[in-house]
Amino acid sequence: MIINLILNVLVQAVGVIFSPFPAVTTLPTFGGPDIDALLVSTMGQLNKVLNVFWPVKILMQAFLFLMSYYAGKLVLKLFLGSRVPANT
Amino acid sequence: MKYTKYVKVLAIIALFIPVSAFAISQVGVNIATNGTVLNLTFPCANPDIGFAMHWAGGSVSTSNNDQCIMYADRSGDNLEAHQTGDGNYYYFWANNDSGTGGTNMGDSDYYALVYRTGGAWFSDFEYVGNKTVINTTTPTDKSVIATSTSNTFGATGEIIEDDINSGSKLTIDIINSVGQLQNCLDAICNVGYLSGAPDFLQAQSIKFHFEYPLVVKGPWSFSTTTIGLLPVGKYYVVTKILKGTFCLFGFCAYSSPVVATSTSFTISTTTKFDKIKDTLQAYQNSLIGTTTPFTACAIATLNLGDCLSDFVSYAFVPTPDALQYTADAFKQEVLIKPPFGYVTRLFTILSSTTTAPLPDASFPVIYGDDNTGAMRIATSSIFQPDEILTGGGALLDSMRDPVYGNNIQDVFQPIVSDIIWLMAWLIVIMDILGSHKHR
């Protein structure tokens, strides 16, 4: 309860900072092409291919996992600077 | 002349089919979509009698048992029919798992719902697209239940193979309007309020969470044990099918919803007895408490060691539910807002499992010169990668070993998956371990 209370307070505090911003539902469009629609249709077609070539699908999932790990590291580094764990 | 007898047989069959089709369809419910007509005939006023079904896209096939549930195999119509408990709803969907023959005609993409209101039958078609669905929930949406009635929660639906992994599960969350901090101001919630009852009775926060692992593709059904009586109020039910992501050796880092529904029901007071019972129950709860984790601290069952252990555990170690709530709140408050929202949106798109058909490639084809010697140019769609992929995938899936019936993917996917994920985790572990080396 205590740990969770601290976490919730932190989330609410950070939430207050971001509360004026609207939720992002689509990616922004630069110039002509609708990037969001383009990505959605491209990923749909890619999924269609990957469902048949399933080893590539697993590779893609692992790649996304690694990318999210490195993205998480970047976020931590943004907040903690050089004190971040796994600071290579 | 030697083909004459075959012509006669075909003529007899050609005469017989339209007559039989008309006889069945004239009292049925016609559902037309995509050029396919589904004729459903219902002499099933008594669910024990059964009903006949004819699908114009295939041959006539009827079957029933004493529960009025029909399974027509692929050689007939490739449709499964199911009936809900009250006999007023029937739903059908295509089954690609069994049987051979017939024409698929995109029938697996549609879900037929036939229901009865005021003695008349109505029908509806919904697009399913061979995907994971939640078909029914218990209690039904917007139902009103007396406080004297015990409650059971459940759901039925279907899950496809792509959505099954070690983290796949059904979750049902029930929360009352007090728990949602809505103060029950809407009219529905006020219906069952107790006249003159103490405030704390109307301020009880009720939360339930149920989980049910989904490990086999196809239809599923889940029902809780009887929960018992609930206080008056409006309740919201969120039913989700979750799929694990970033799984290794059966452990998944996250769960993402594949499909979710939101329904509600109302517990209303109907008798004086109900009011008295609720009031007494509320007094009891206020005096003794209903928090089960601290039963070791109760005087009657005091166990000091367990009591202290429970206290420390619940005071400092967040429960998975609480952590999930915090994570959800963090996502809603921060991760979907700019600038993180763009990354979240990108990640959502990249991790989506929805498929889209590949575009056909059309280009001009030059035919040879005809009798006049002129060249003709016509545009023709001659390359269809979607058809090639679908057909190739189906062909690969169909090649199975004669002993266990597994195809190539069934045999090698677990091995390939484990190797790739092991490598991914090794990269992460090496990155973390190598981060503290002295330079």
Side-chain angles (χ1 to χ4, degrees):
Chain A
M1 287 186 290
I2 294 171
I3 300 293
N4 201 54
L5 175 67
I6 295 169
L7 288 174
N8 279 329
V9 168
L10 282 174
V11 167
Q12 294 299 323
V14 178
V16 168
I17 299 170
F18 286 90
S19 59
F21 298 110
V24 175
T25 53
T26 56
L27 293 174
T29 298
F30 298 106
D34 184 348
I35 297 174
D36 193 88
L38 203 63
L39 270 176
V40 168
S41 65
T42 304
M43 281 310 298
Q45 292 169 359
L46 189 63
N47 281 332
K48 178 89 176 183
V49 176
L50 294 182
N51 279 342
V52 177
F53 300 103
W54 50 266
V56 188
K57 183 180 184 178
I58 300 170
L59 275 172
M60 279 286 293
Q61 289 172 339
F63 174 75
L64 273 177
F65 167 69
L66 283 178
M67 288 303 101
S68 61
Y69 164 72
Y70 287 119
K73 266 181 65 175
L74 282 176
V75 172
L76 279 178
K77 200 167 184 175
L78 183 71
F79 285 110
L80 301 180
S82 59
R83 294 182 298 278
V84 63
N87 181 30
T88 54
Chain B
M1 292 300 290
K2 65 181 179 182
Y3 298 113
T4 304
K5 62 180 180 182
Y6 299 114
V7 173
K8 286 179 180 175
V9 171
L10 288 173
I12 292 170
I13 292 173
L15 282 173
F16 176 75
I17 288 176
V19 171
S20 59
F22 175 74
I24 288 173
S25 63
Q26 60 183 336
V27 291
V29 179
N30 297 327
I31 307 166
T33 181
N34 200 26
T36 301
V37 178
L38 180 67
N39 299 318
L40 303 167
T41 304
F42 286 96
C44 196
N46 180 352
D48 292 332
I49 295 175
F51 60 92
M53 184 178 76
H54 168 63
W55 177 37
S59 58
V60 177
S61 177
T62 59
S63 169
N64 63 272
N65 58 21
D66 56 1
Q67 293 181 329
C68 198
I69 297 175
M70 186 185 76
Y71 292 90
D73 68 12
R74 182 69 175 83
S75 61
D77 292 332
N78 190 28
L79 289 171
E80 286 188 12
H82 295 261
Q83 176 213 1
T84 55
D86 60 5
N88 286 331
Y89 290 85
Y90 297 84
Y91 51 95
F92 308 84
W93 65 82
N95 175 17
N96 284 326
D97 294 335
S98 61
T100 56
T103 307
N104 207 358
M105 295 176 64
D107 47 312
S108 63
D109 293 342
Y110 291 93
Y111 165 91
L113 174 68
V114 182
Y115 55 95
R116 179 168 55 187
T117 302
W121 288 98
F122 298 89
S123 61
D124 191 12
F125 241 123
E126 290 182 27
Y127 181 73
V128 172
N130 192 25
K131 64 183 180 183
T132 298
V133 290
I134 298 169
N135 289 324
T136 64
T137 55
T138 306
T140 53
D141 192 22
K142 296 181 176 55
S143 56
V144 179
I145 302 168
T147 50
S148 55
T149 303
S150 294
N151 293 278
T152 303
F153 303 106
T156 65
E158 190 172 9
I159 186 167
I160 62 172
E161 191 165 10
D162 281 351
D163 291 331
I164 292 180
N165 61 16
S166 52
S168 298
K169 60 187 174 184
L170 167 75
T171 65
I172 301 177
D173 288 282
I174 297 106
I175 189 167
N176 65 353
S177 49
V178 176
Q180 287 201 333
L181 302 175
Q182 292 186 1
N183 298 319
C184 282
L185 291 178
D186 56 292
I188 296 176
C189 195
N190 285 324
V191 167
Y193 262 25
L194 305 182
S195 175
D199 289 342
F200 61 79
L201 174 62
Q202 300 179 10
Q204 289 183 81
S205 177
I206 306 292
K207 292 179 183 177
F208 292 111
H209 177 79
F210 303 101
E211 288 190 6
Y212 178 68
L214 296 170
V215 294
V216 180
K217 69 174 181 177
W220 50 262
S221 176
F222 171 66
S223 182
T224 67
T225 54
T226 303
I227 301 303
L229 309 179
L230 292 173
V232 290
K234 186 176 183 181
Y235 291 76
Y236 300 91
V237 184
V238 177
T239 309
K240 291 180 185 174
I241 294 179
L242 300 174
K243 179 184 179 182
T245 50
F246 304 136
C247 302
L248 182 66
F249 301 125
F251 295 97
C252 298
Y254 308 103
S255 289
S256 55
V258 178
V259 62
T261 64
S262 178
T263 55
S264 65
F265 65 93
T266 303
I267 301 290
S268 68
T269 299
T270 55
T271 65
K272 290 179 180 177
F273 170 77
D274 292 328
K275 293 181 180 179
I276 295 168
K277 176 176 60 57
D278 279 352
T279 308
L280 290 176
Q281 183 68 46
Y283 275 121
Q284 178 184 323
N285 290 347
S286 69
L287 293 173
I288 302 173
T290 56
T291 310
T292 51
F294 296 104
T295 48
C297 301
I299 296 297
T301 56
L302 180 64
N303 182 319
L304 201 56
D306 289 347
C307 178
L308 281 172
S309 170
D310 285 351
F311 175 75
V312 172
S313 173
Y314 284 95
F316 293 101
V317 181
T319 62
D321 286 346
L323 280 179
Q324 182 67 46
Y325 176 84
T326 307
D328 289 343
F330 185 67
K331 183 178 180 184
Q332 292 300 320
E333 300 286 341
V334 178
L335 291 185
I336 64 168
K337 302 290 181 66
F340 303 109
Y342 298 113
V343 181
T344 304
R345 174 63 183 160
L346 187 64
F347 186 81
T348 303
I349 294 173
L350 292 179
S351 59
S352 168
T353 58
T354 307
T355 61
L358 300 176
D360 293 344
S362 301
F363 46 88
V365 178
I366 303 174
Y367 295 100
D369 55 347
D370 56 17
N371 293 333
T372 64
M375 298 290 287
R376 287 195 302 120
I377 299 176
T379 301
S380 175
S381 174
I382 62 169
F383 183 64
Q384 296 175 306
D386 198 72
E387 291 287 326
I388 294 171
L389 269 179
T390 306
L395 184 64
L396 275 176
D397 287 346
S398 68
M399 292 190 294
R400 297 176 179 275
D401 79 80
V403 180
Y404 299 106
N406 294 326
N407 58 24
I408 296 172
Q409 186 175 2
D410 294 336
V411 174
F412 289 104
Q413 185 169 4
I415 302 167
V416 174
S417 178
D418 284 350
I419 291 172
I420 291 174
W421 279 108
L422 187 62
M423 290 170 64
W425 278 104
L426 274 176
I427 291 171
V428 172
I429 291 168
M430 286 172 65
D431 185 73
I432 294 172
L433 292 180
S435 64
H436 300 292
K437 62 188 175 190
H438 298 285
R439 283 177 285 182

